[in-house]
Amino acid sequence: MTLRSFLSRAPRPAEIWTYLSAACLFWLLILNRWIVTPIGLKSYGRVWQNQINYAELGFIKRTFWGTFLSITGLNKIPNNEYINAYLIHGIVLALISIFIAKYIFRNAKSLTNAHAILVFSSPAFLSFLAYSLGTLDVVVSLLLVCSCLFVRSYWRLGLIAIAGVLIHESYFFFIPFIALNNFLMTSKRMAVSLRSIFRQVWPTLLLPMLALVALKVFEPQIPDWHSFESFMRMKLPNAAYQCPYWSGYFELYSPLSENLKLITKALPFIRDKWYISTIPILYLVGLVVFLFRSKSELSLRVKLCYVVAVLFPLGISLVANDYLRWINLSSILCVLAILTTQVAGTIKGDPWKLAGFIPFALFGPFGRALDYSMPIHQFILERLLR
């Protein structure tokens, strides 16, 4: 059997288990890198998002996840905020891996080995989520994966989107893709106008917008910085003052103008250092080109809208400066788009061309900052060159 024929045929159960096991082993190593880092467990960074709740802070952004953990008591097992954060992160990432594997098992006849390997080996997907600690990326990605792979009701997608934007506003930038992707998964007619698409997907778009409006309308009064840090110091006895923004005050209460100032300061750095992130950028561009040039019955206008939807997370760069992070989130949307449209038969790509993306796994995981685009490789090199 040639490599081309292997990549082009449907994956067998044993092969899917192999891909899943290899991916899980790799992201477990990335997640538990604290074992070899000088600062140990503190390498997780910010853990406040798991410990806050509405009862204490009021109806404020990025508090839904902590409220859920507080109600269930999951953020107290064990009673060390760092160990708890690693445990919860690993559980959520395991759920994402299992859900992806379940989808591939269920639709194996419509997929190929190339598709399965692409998803499990992507340096911007599972391994990146294992690397991206101190954020809520892994949680919103869980909702994203469930929405794209298993939910087909636009109203249910809208309800999930409400939870998503209450967990983190970045989920809002996934919603155009989720809505349009669901249309491509369920519609029997592809030659349709954008207006007819909107008539079907509007609940998915409207409901999270109402949630964002509610956040603004019912926003509580901004507390004093010193009193807030004193309060958080009691909630985070092990994490207090261990990293910048450890209390969450900036993320929870900073106005949009403050975020825009950070972008202005970062522009010279982007201009001078963008080339360091060439590989993650090439990966995203390649995925977008693959999507756009694959065979489909979609009109050019709908296809362009689909491309805009997968690139929509890049818009977060206007208000937040983890630029490579948003590139990776767009890459995740591309990977999910290639997987789901192949199953639906909406966009049929050549599996052999997907093979060109597999070597990128050697550069994974991609990082979050422009100057640290391949963090594991750079970490190893720094240790060797000491």
Side-chain angles (χ1 to χ4, degrees):
M1 179 184 295
T2 63
L3 177 61
R4 185 164 191 163
S5 61
F6 170 77
L7 292 173
S8 300
R9 68 165 173 79
R12 296 167 182 166
E15 291 165 344
I16 299 174
W17 281 114
T18 301
Y19 305 147
L20 173 63
S21 301
C24 289
L25 178 61
F26 186 56
W27 68 247
L28 276 171
L29 292 174
I30 302 301
L31 177 63
N32 291 289
R33 62 189 182 276
W34 60 269
I35 298 173
V36 296
T37 55
I39 58 176
L41 291 172
K42 296 175 185 177
S43 61
Y44 192 92
R46 295 164 292 185
V47 296
W48 58 264
Q49 53 267 57
N50 290 345
Q51 304 297 329
I52 58 177
N53 59 75
Y54 291 134
E56 295 173 335
L57 301 183
F59 190 59
I60 191 170
K61 62 182 181 180
R62 306 189 189 182
T63 310
F64 186 87
W65 177 243
T67 301
F68 167 75
L69 295 178
S70 297
I71 292 173
T72 58
L74 293 175
N75 58 357
K76 301 299 181 186
I77 308 173
N79 199 22
N80 177 299
E81 53 267 35
Y82 282 119
I83 299 176
N84 175 260
Y86 278 105
L87 180 63
I88 290 174
H89 201 107
I91 291 173
V92 175
L93 198 46
L95 288 174
I96 294 174
S97 304
I98 291 169
F99 288 155
I100 292 172
K102 180 179 179 180
Y103 185 81
I104 294 175
F105 273 116
R106 181 184 293 178
N107 300 283
K109 292 182 180 180
S110 303
L111 296 170
T112 67
N113 275 301
H115 289 89
I117 295 173
L118 171 71
V119 177
F120 286 119
S121 69
S122 172
F125 205 161
L126 296 176
S127 60
F128 163 72
L129 293 176
Y131 175 78
S132 186
L133 306 179
T135 71
L136 288 164
D137 290 346
V138 69
V139 183
V140 295
S141 294
L142 174 62
L143 298 184
L144 170 68
V145 167
C146 290
S147 296
C148 291
L149 302 187
F150 302 112
V151 182
R152 294 293 166 258
S153 164
Y154 292 107
W155 284 98
R156 290 176 182 172
L157 288 173
L159 293 174
I160 294 173
I162 289 176
V165 297
L166 292 179
I167 291 171
H168 198 287
E169 316 88 85
S170 63
Y171 194 85
F172 179 80
F173 291 84
F174 294 158
I175 294 170
F177 169 77
I178 292 170
L180 185 53
N181 190 69
N182 190 59
F183 175 83
L184 298 183
M185 291 290 292
T186 57
S187 179
K188 296 180 180 179
R189 294 175 56 247
M190 291 296 108
V192 293
S193 65
L194 294 177
R195 181 179 297 179
S196 61
I197 294 176
F198 180 77
R199 287 173 182 169
Q200 295 189 48
V201 307
W202 68 266
T204 306
L205 303 176
L206 178 63
L207 292 179
M209 292 179 67
L210 294 177
L212 291 175
V213 171
L215 280 174
K216 189 64 179 177
V217 171
F218 299 105
E219 184 179 24
Q221 185 177 1
I222 298 177
D224 174 71
W225 177 73
H226 292 288
S227 60
F228 183 82
E229 292 227 327
S230 296
F231 168 74
M232 291 302 293
R233 186 169 62 246
M234 292 186 292
K235 292 187 71 67
L236 306 172
N238 298 292
Y241 304 105
Q242 297 302 315
C243 70
Y245 308 117
W246 66 271
S247 69
Y249 186 86
F250 178 81
E251 290 89 338
L252 292 172
Y253 298 109
S254 62
L256 183 61
S257 58
E258 289 296 320
N259 295 71
L260 294 176
K261 288 180 182 178
L262 290 176
I263 301 304
T264 304
K265 293 178 181 178
L267 287 177
F269 178 81
I270 299 172
R271 182 192 61 214
D272 298 334
K273 300 291 185 179
W274 66 269
Y275 60 89
I276 300 177
S277 298
T278 300
I279 292 177
I281 293 171
L282 285 176
Y283 184 73
L284 173 60
V285 171
L287 291 172
V288 171
V289 171
F290 177 86
L291 263 179
F292 189 76
R293 299 195 63 179
S294 295
K295 295 179 181 179
S296 75
E297 299 176 4
L298 302 178
S299 67
L300 178 61
R301 184 176 297 180
V302 173
K303 215 170 193 180
L304 285 173
C305 286
Y306 199 46
V307 169
V308 170
V310 299
L311 294 176
F312 205 53
L314 298 181
I316 311 175
S317 300
L318 298 175
V319 293
N321 59 4
D322 290 343
Y323 305 106
L324 191 54
R325 182 178 164 195
W326 318 131
I327 291 172
N328 289 330
L329 292 181
S330 278
S331 295
I332 290 175
L333 296 190
C334 286
V335 170
L336 290 174
I338 291 170
L339 184 69
T340 54
T341 55
Q342 176 72 19
V343 170
T346 309
I347 299 177
K348 290 280 190 178
D350 183 357
W352 181 241
K353 292 180 180 178
L354 282 179
F357 297 103
I358 297 174
F360 279 93
L362 299 174
F363 301 104
F366 292 155
R368 287 167 22 194
L370 285 177
D371 58 338
Y372 227 56
S373 59
M374 293 181 290
I376 303 301
H377 300 72
Q378 289 170 259
F379 173 78
I380 294 173
L381 283 174
E382 288 171 2
R383 296 293 290 266
L384 291 176
L385 294 175
R386 278 183 180 178

